[in-house]
C-alpha cells in the first residue's frame, strides 16, 4: 500500500490578531505566509470571520494575489461569505461554524442539522471549481451527511482531543483519539478526502500524522506562539519534521 503524502497548511490568523491589536500594518499576515511557504508550508489558511477580528477582506485578496501555494479560505456558511469566496476564487473553502462570542472555532459544523441550507452552498462552490471542506467532529452521522452532500473533503476537528492531551486527561484523550481514528477511516471509505486541525502542537501533530487516511493538517496558533521564541521559519520546519516522523510510522505499518 502506498502512503499518501501529508500536506501542512499554515493558518496565519494570529499574525493578523497581533497586527490588529495596534491597528497598524505590522506584523503582516502576508509576510508570515511567504515565510511559512519558504519554510515548507504546502498551503496557507486564513479565516475571515464575520466580526473581522483577525483576517480582513484585503488580507484575503493580498494572500490570493501574492502566495504561490494554495489558499484555503475558512468561513461561515453565510451569503456574504459565499459572495466573497466566489470573488476571491481561493483554491479551497473550509466551512466552519461561527459564533461571535467564542474565542475560537469551538465545535464542528452541524452538517446533519443544516443539510438543507448547506446543500446549495456546497453546490455553488463545487460549480465554481473551489474545493469545499466541512469542518466537523469525527461523528459517523456528520461524516455520512458530508458525503451525501457531495462535499469532497472533511476536516476533522481535533480540538477536544488536543485539549484532553494538554490537560493530562488520559481517558478522555484516548476516547477522543479513537473517535478520530474511526472517523477518518469511515470518511476515507465513504470516498471523502480527510484533513484535520485545531489545537495541534508538535506532539499531537506527530501522532495524528501516523493516520494514513489524513492527507492535510491545518495548524496555526501553536506554531505562531513558538515563532515568538524561535522565529516562524523554524517553528514551521519543526512542525514539518514532527509530521514527517509521524508519517514514517504509516510507511512502517503499510
Ligand atoms: N482548522 C480550522 C477549520 C480552524 O478553524 C482552525 C482555527 O482557525 C484551525 C484549523 C487551526 O487551529 P489552530 O490555530 O488551533 O492550530
Amino acid at each position: 500500500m502506498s502512503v499518501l503524502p501529508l500536506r501542512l497548511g499554515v493558518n496565519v490568523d494570529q499574525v493578523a490578531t497581533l497586527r490588529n491589536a495596534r491597528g497598524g500594518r505590522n506584523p503582516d499576515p502576508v509576510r508570515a505566509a511567504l515565510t511559512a511557504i519558504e519554510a515548507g508550508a504546502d498551503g496557507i489558511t486564513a479565516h475571515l470571520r464575520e466580526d473581522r477580528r483577525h483576517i480582513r477582506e484585503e488580507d484575503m485578496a493580498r494572500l490570493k494575489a501574492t502566495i504561490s501555494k494554495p489558499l484555503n479560505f475558512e468561513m461561515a456558511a453565510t451569503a456574504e461569505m459565499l459572495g466573497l469566496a466566489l470573488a476571491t476564487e481561493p483554491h479551497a473553502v473550509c466551512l466552519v461554524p461561527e459564533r461571535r462570542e467564542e474565542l475560537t472555532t469551538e465545535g464542528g459544523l452541524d452538517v446533519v442539522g443544516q443539510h438543507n441550507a448547506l446543500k446549495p452552498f456546497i453546490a455553488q462552490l463545487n460549480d465554481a471549481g473551489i474545493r469545499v471542506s466541512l469542518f466537523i467532529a469525527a461523528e459517523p452521522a456528520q461524516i455520512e451527511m458530508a458525503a451525501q452532500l457531495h462535499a469532497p473533503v472533511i476536516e476533522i476537528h481535533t480540538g477536544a482531543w488536543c485539549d484532553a492531551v494538554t490537560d493530562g486527561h488520559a481517558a478522555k484523550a484516548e476516547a477522543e483519539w479513537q473517535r478520530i481514528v474511526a472517523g477518518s477511516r469511515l470518511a476515507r471509505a465513504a470516498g471523502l478526502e480527510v484533513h484535520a486541525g485545531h489545537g495541534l502542537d508538535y506532539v499531537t501533530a506527530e501522532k495524528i500524522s501516523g493516520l494514513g487516511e489524513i492527507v492535510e493538517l491545518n495548524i496555526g496558533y501553536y506554531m505562531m506562539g513558538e515563532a515568538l521564541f524561535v522565529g516562524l521559519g523554524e517553528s514551521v520546519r519543526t512542525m514539518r519534521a514532527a509530521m514527517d516522523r509521524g508519517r514514517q510510522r504509516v510507511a512502517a505499518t503499510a
Side-chain angles (χ1 to χ4, degrees), residues 81-100:
M81 288 299 155
L82 180 62
L84 287 167
L86 294 173
T88 309
E89 298 182 320
H91 170 75
V93 157
C94 180
L95 295 178
V96 302
E98 204 174 287
R99 286 186 293 118
R100 265 179 182 263

Side-chain angles (χ1 to χ4, degrees), residues 110-127:
D110 179 12
V111 181
V112 174
Q114 294 174 32
H115 71 276
N116 280 336
L118 286 171
K119 196 172 181 167
F121 212 93
I122 293 167
Q124 282 189 74
L125 290 165
N126 281 339
D127 289 349

Side-chain angles (χ1 to χ4, degrees), residues 159-170 172-174 201 203-204 207:
W161 171 57
C162 292
D163 286 348
V165 171
T166 308
D167 297 343
H169 294 146
K172 174 148 170 62
E174 181 57 23
D201 61 11
V203 172
T204 45
K207 178 153 176 155

Side-chain angles (χ1 to χ4, degrees), residues 11 13-14 45-47 49 54 72 74 94-96 104-105 133 135 155-158 196-201 217-223:
N11 182 311
D13 292 350
Q14 300 314 328
T45 296
H47 182 177
R49 291 186 77 103
H54 37 57
N72 177 28
E74 281 179 16
C94 180
L95 295 178
V96 302
T104 180
T105 313
S133 87
F135 188 47
E155 181 167 325
I156 293 180
H157 196 315
T158 52
H198 211 283
L200 293 167
D201 61 11
L217 299 180
N218 286 301
I219 311 177
Y221 190 85
Y222 183 79
M223 259 186 314

